[in-house]
Amino acid sequence: MRILVTNDDGAGAPGLHALAVALSDLGEVTVVAPDGQRSASGHAITIAHPLRLNMIERAAPYCVYALTGTPADCVKVGVSVVLQAAPDLVVSGINYGANSGANVTYSGTVSGAREGAMLGLPSIAVSLEASDHPDFAFSARVAREIARWVGSGRPGAGLLYNVNVPALPPDRIRGIRLTRHGHSRMIDAFERRLDPHHQPYYWMAWERMFHDEDPNSDGHAVYSGFVSVTPLLLEQTDRRAIEQMKAAGFEEIEGRLLLR
Ligand code: MN
């Protein structure tokens, strides 16, 4: 099995290497990761600047390339330039910090896996809840077991698997919960500071304020001590809204008005 690994915390991040080591048990791992921190870069791709690619580690059991781009760039370049063939699996992570609820949209980690899914490849994002002393070893074992299942060809097309692991010792983790994408989100808060020239600047201050109370949601599962696995579809169409708008005569009435 050929496995492409990326992340958004950068090519030197400990979670990335814990993941790459664990996945090396399953097949040939190639790492293509951003050359620095790209957290919360979402699904951005680089079109206005060149991308520089440097091999920074050739030692067994895997090669590491650093790219001056985003996680989505890394997957594109990994497939088209480095491997020059479709890998059997794309795995992004292990991120420092959970990617549930609203963070699924902001996350570069999830977007690395989403890019894999857009290329038609079985893809997984893995994140570990933030803590003072992150231990990626257990998350890496979880990632390997899920990768074994996803890489075995059972999954369908057009989706990715978003995995979140609680920051707990392995013996306190309560199990795996299959979850839906929930509504957990940060309430925005900015710290206002002054620079040395007495000009104000603002820094986003992370404070988790809103928890999704649905036990089947991704955020609630992690918060409650479960490993959360959410299959996420690429397509986001709300078919109920289409039916609702059709029933209200939107195409006939509003369409005629708009196009007149
Ligand atoms: Mn990150």
Side-chain angles (χ1 to χ4, degrees), residues 8-9 37-40 95-97 99 107-109:
D8 75 0
D9 294 335
Q37 181 56 254
R38 298 290 192 290
S39 290
N95 188 62
Y96 173 71
N99 280 308
S107 170
T109 304

Side-chain angles (χ1 to χ4, degrees), residues 13-52:
L16 175 77
H17 293 279
L19 178 64
V21 167
L23 294 178
S24 293
D25 289 353
L26 300 183
E28 185 188 334
V29 172
T30 303
V31 176
V32 182
D35 63 344
Q37 181 56 254
R38 298 290 192 290
S39 290
S41 61
H43 207 117
I45 55 171
T46 303
I47 56 173
H49 305 285
L51 292 168
R52 307 278 178 187

Side-chain angles (χ1 to χ4, degrees), residues 122-174:
S123 298
I124 307 167
V126 186
S127 304
L128 171 63
E129 195 180 26
S131 65
D132 290 340
H133 303 287
D135 174 8
F136 293 100
F138 177 73
S139 307
R141 274 172 48 207
V142 170
R144 183 178 58 206
E145 291 317 303
I146 292 170
R148 198 193 299 278
W149 188 84
V150 173
S152 67
R154 269 173 277 191
L159 81 164
L160 57 134
Y161 296 85
N162 186 34
V163 179
N164 283 286
V165 180
L168 292 172
D171 60 348
R172 288 184 52 207
I173 293 199
R174 296 167 67 189

Side-chain angles (χ1 to χ4, degrees):
M1 180 153 67
R2 296 220 291 179
I3 306 169
L4 177 63
V5 171
T6 193
N7 76 343
D8 75 0
D9 294 335
L16 175 77
H17 293 279
L19 178 64
V21 167
L23 294 178
S24 293
D25 289 353
L26 300 183
E28 185 188 334
V29 172
T30 303
V31 176
V32 182
D35 63 344
Q37 181 56 254
R38 298 290 192 290
S39 290
S41 61
H43 207 117
I45 55 171
T46 303
I47 56 173
H49 305 285
L51 292 168
R52 307 278 178 187
L53 179 69
N54 293 301
M55 182 191 276
I56 58 172
E57 175 69 66
R58 193 196 289 271
Y62 53 85
C63 284
V64 180
Y65 296 82
L67 184 74
T68 59
T70 64
D73 288 327
C74 289
V75 171
K76 287 179 182 295
V77 168
V79 171
S80 298
V81 178
V82 177
L83 297 175
Q84 298 186 11
D88 301 295
L89 187 63
V90 174
V91 189
S92 182
I94 297 167
N95 188 62
Y96 173 71
N99 280 308
S100 57
N103 282 351
V104 168
T105 302
Y106 299 125
S107 170
T109 304
V110 173
S111 291
R114 189 184 295 111
E115 185 62 36
M118 288 167 72
L119 296 173
L121 306 168
S123 298
I124 307 167
V126 186
S127 304
L128 171 63
E129 195 180 26
S131 65
D132 290 340
H133 303 287
D135 174 8
F136 293 100
F138 177 73
S139 307
R141 274 172 48 207
V142 170
R144 183 178 58 206
E145 291 317 303
I146 292 170
R148 198 193 299 278
W149 188 84
V150 173
S152 67
R154 269 173 277 191
L159 81 164
L160 57 134
Y161 296 85
N162 186 34
V163 179
N164 283 286
V165 180
L168 292 172
D171 60 348
R172 288 184 52 207
I173 293 199
R174 296 167 67 189
I176 291 185
R177 189 172 276 175
L178 297 173
T179 56
R180 66 170 185 82
H181 179 198
H183 301 289
S184 303
R185 63 184 160 82
M186 305 293 183
I187 301 294
D188 289 344
F190 290 85
E191 277 189 28
R192 183 182 189 273
R193 300 177 183 177
L194 292 181
D195 72 14
H197 308 288
H198 306 287
Q199 298 302 306
Y201 64 95
Y202 300 87
W203 203 310
M204 182 170 279
W206 296 101
E207 204 175 345
R208 184 179 281 278
M209 296 290 289
F210 178 80
H211 287 288
D212 194 321
E213 294 304 326
D214 177 358
N216 294 314
S217 70
D218 47 7
H220 193 280
V222 175
Y223 185 65
S224 310
F226 290 90
V227 173
S228 164
V229 181
T230 315
L232 292 171
L233 291 169
L234 293 182
E235 190 186 329
Q236 298 179 48
T237 315
D238 187 341
R239 290 191 170 76
R240 285 172 308 178
I242 289 182
E243 294 310 314
Q244 199 177 23
M245 292 167 85
K246 275 184 183 170
F250 185 91
E251 284 175 317
E252 292 77 16
I253 302 164
E254 278 79 353
R256 209 179 302 133
L257 292 173
L258 285 170
L259 302 175
R260 189 164 58 196

